Amino acid sequence: LLASGSWDKTVRLWRVTDGTLVRILRGHTGFISNIVFSPDGKFLASSGSWDGTVRLWRASDGAPVYTFGGFTYWVGDVNFSPDGKFLVFGSKSNKVRLWRVNDGALVGTLEGHEGSVWSVAFSPAGRLLATGSEDKTVRLWRMEDGALVRTLEGHKGSVWSVAFSPDGRLLASESWDGTVILWGVVP
């Protein structure tokens, strides 16, 4: 399946082999800015930038599983941990929240950015989380205890995207300033 989000506040699931629309998921009250499948393909998470929610859906039938809400502002990037047990997302509140997928429980809030958190990415082994922010920094967090490991500075604009290399040794960050920086990371 392929998922798409839209200004019409829906998530659409498409069959890749022939482009057929399989189903439309409704529930968001704002446009859909981010969609991600869980590593095992069983779940789909969508964030509606302006409705302040992240919704977890069952991919097989589109049934809603959980709605993570209560945010005053939009929700930014959303991502699953490599083992699929956790869902993480950033927001305009400068915080990163970590939720357990199996029961929808909030298990942690990471604070430290001084601007909106635009992007989140787990290392391939799931031991580190990288977050990119409007404050022009990338922060690395240890997932074991939520501790801040490092703050990476070098961009002159908001950090829009972060991604680990497949071996977890490098982290790429992309910024509004038009640069991409490759950082060495201890896996």
Side-chain angles (χ1 to χ4, degrees):
L1 290 177
L2 171 73
S4 64
S6 174
W7 281 94
D8 72 2
K9 307 170 191 165
T10 66
V11 174
R12 294 173 188 259
L13 297 178
W14 308 86
R15 192 168 44 235
V16 177
T17 54
D18 61 6
T20 300
L21 177 63
V22 176
R23 95 183 18 91
I24 299 174
L25 310 179
R26 298 184 196 316
H28 282 288
T29 60
F31 77 91
I32 312 301
S33 59
N34 294 288
I35 300 172
V36 63
F37 281 97
S38 62
D40 62 7
K42 291 181 181 179
F43 297 103
L44 169 73
S46 60
S47 66
S49 285
W50 302 110
D51 74 2
T53 68
V54 171
R55 293 181 182 265
L56 185 66
W57 315 85
R58 202 168 43 227
S60 61
D61 61 4
V65 179
Y66 295 112
T67 298
F68 307 100
F71 305 103
T72 324
Y73 305 106
W74 57 261
V75 177
D77 196 17
V78 59
N79 216 329
F80 284 93
S81 61
D83 62 8
K85 293 181 180 179
F86 299 99
L87 188 61
V88 66
F89 41 90
S91 72
K92 186 167 174 57
S93 69
N94 308 350
K95 297 176 185 174
V96 178
R97 290 186 174 87
L98 184 70
W99 302 80
R100 203 169 33 237
V101 171
N102 70 346
D103 63 3
L106 176 65
V107 294
T109 301
L110 305 176
E111 298 185 50
H113 278 294
E114 296 175 13
S116 302
V117 179
W118 296 107
S119 54
V120 294
F122 281 96
S123 65
R127 289 190 285 261
L128 293 175
L129 176 71
T131 57
S133 171
E134 183 177 53
D135 67 9
K136 305 174 189 171
T137 69
V138 174
R139 293 180 189 246
L140 291 174
W141 310 86
R142 190 172 48 235
M143 291 313 303
E144 175 184 334
D145 57 6
L148 178 63
V149 176
R150 276 173 66 193
T151 300
L152 305 172
E153 299 177 297
H155 286 293
K156 293 178 177 56
S158 296
V159 178
W160 290 101
S161 182
V162 291
F164 282 92
S165 63
D167 65 4
R169 295 185 176 278
L170 294 174
L171 176 71
S173 59
E174 180 264 333
S175 170
W176 186 254
D177 66 13
T179 64
V180 173
I181 297 177
L182 287 176
W183 310 91
V185 179
V186 176

